[in-house]
Amino acid sequence: MQGTVTELNAYPLKSGGGTALRSAELTARGLPFDREFMLVTPEGRFLSQRDHARMALLRPSYDGTVLTVDAPGAPRLVHKAADEGEVREVSVQRSQCRGVDQGDEAAAWFGDLLGADCRLVRFTGLRPTARGGGEVMFADGYPLLVISAESLADLNARLDEPLPMNRFRPTLVVEGLGPYGEDEVRLLRVGEAVIEMVKPCTRCVITTTDQRTAERGREPLRTLASYRTRDRGIQFGQNCVPRVLGTLRVGDPVEVVAARHP
């Protein structure tokens, strides 16, 4: 079975908007700069759209040196990333890791916007994935999330109003695998790279948040629950770990190297 890459997306700030890419060098931690920054409480617990839907309105970009963030009604944040400073112990889901505090100015900018006491941290150290022997920065658990374009088309055919792919925040979108074809793949060759699907992605309330307005509804979780509930969770997409690194490009061919159930 063959397909094509139709989207590459990186998310420099966890739970902020995505950056659409035409090409990227795949690293062991996923796409460059993906979830390199995160907002945390003073105690170190991560913040996300689960608790602060307004984070959907954040539009970050990062070139490896300067993090720029736009948000409605706020002056643009232009922040030179710090790789030295206080190292905070922080948590993502149930995982403990570390981040370099990015200073009071950035913390105040985000705190004013969200109405919450928070700090901006930049990933440092090593954080292993729970399965698959990979590594990740501040993503929930895995460096890559792959969704088939046909999976979204099948979901949208069941909804009264279709939803965009950004509700699901994938790093790679592929076309040609068929609806939920990603569930049947173990190894996928993407251009020069090879990735392994190691765990279905269990979806949360973020998928019900409009990424343009931060408004919440009941879909798509209500509909997905009726036919995509597995192992006590609603699954949509596959979490992946890189096995062979290389350049990824929109338009690259995609080939199933090994199926999950040959």
Side-chain angles (χ1 to χ4, degrees):
M1 186 182 296
Q2 293 187 332
T4 306
V5 176
T6 60
E7 290 184 31
L8 293 171
N9 301 296
Y11 304 85
L13 174 65
K14 183 177 180 66
S15 250
T19 300
L21 306 172
R22 297 299 300 175
S23 64
E25 291 298 319
L26 181 64
T27 75
R29 294 173 172 175
L31 299 188
F33 315 133
D34 189 62
R35 278 84 167 192
E36 186 165 332
F37 295 87
M38 180 172 71
L39 293 174
V40 298
T41 66
E43 297 75 32
R45 179 186 175 275
F46 79 106
L47 298 181
S48 77
Q49 291 183 38
R50 296 172 181 86
D51 309 301
H52 298 275
R54 186 170 169 78
M55 290 181 70
L57 305 179
L58 298 174
R59 296 291 177 263
S61 62
Y62 181 54
D63 62 5
T65 301
V66 175
L67 175 69
T68 302
V69 187
D70 290 300
R76 172 177 288 180
L77 173 70
V78 180
H79 171 72
K80 188 177 186 303
D83 54 13
E84 295 182 358
E86 179 187 357
V87 176
R88 291 178 174 265
E89 299 294 325
V90 297
S91 63
V92 181
Q93 303 292 12
R94 298 182 181 87
S95 173
Q96 301 298 311
C97 47
R98 297 186 299 164
V100 178
D101 190 280
Q102 296 296 292
D104 293 341
E105 183 178 345
W109 190 90
F110 285 107
D112 289 344
L113 189 73
L114 300 179
D117 192 4
C118 61
R119 306 295 298 184
L120 177 68
V121 296
R122 182 186 183 193
F123 184 84
T124 188
L126 178 66
R127 181 177 167 227
T129 57
R131 300 184 191 176
E135 56 181 286
V136 67
M137 288 199 280
F138 288 137
D140 275 2
Y142 294 88
L144 297 171
L145 172 61
V146 173
I147 297 177
S148 166
E150 292 91 346
S151 299
L152 179 62
D154 180 83
L155 168 62
N156 278 335
R158 304 166 189 261
L159 297 174
D160 293 334
E161 296 184 11
L163 298 176
M165 185 64 84
N166 66 10
R167 287 292 187 97
F168 300 96
R169 304 173 61 76
T171 42
L172 278 82
V173 179
V174 298
E175 191 172 74
L177 298 183
Y180 316 105
E182 63 269 40
D183 295 350
E184 305 305 319
V185 176
R186 187 172 67 82
L187 289 175
L188 192 69
R189 188 182 308 280
V190 184
E192 302 172 355
V194 176
I195 61 177
E196 181 174 0
M197 276 66 163
V198 298
K199 182 182 181 296
C201 185
T202 301
R203 310 314 306 217
C204 71
V205 69
I206 291 177
T207 62
T208 69
T209 307
D210 188 315
Q211 297 296 295
R212 294 179 301 105
T213 66
E215 295 177 355
R216 282 209 172 125
R218 299 183 64 184
E219 296 292 6
L221 288 184
R222 179 172 63 176
T223 295
L224 283 172
S226 68
Y227 74 105
R228 291 293 298 174
T229 299
R230 311 278 193 282
D231 300 325
R232 294 175 295 179
I234 299 170
Q235 297 178 0
F236 193 84
Q238 288 285 327
N239 290 303
C240 308
V241 170
R243 296 304 183 205
V244 177
L245 306 183
T247 304
L248 303 179
R249 300 176 180 86
V250 172
D252 270 348
V254 171
E255 177 187 1
V256 176
V257 177
R260 192 172 299 280
H261 304 291

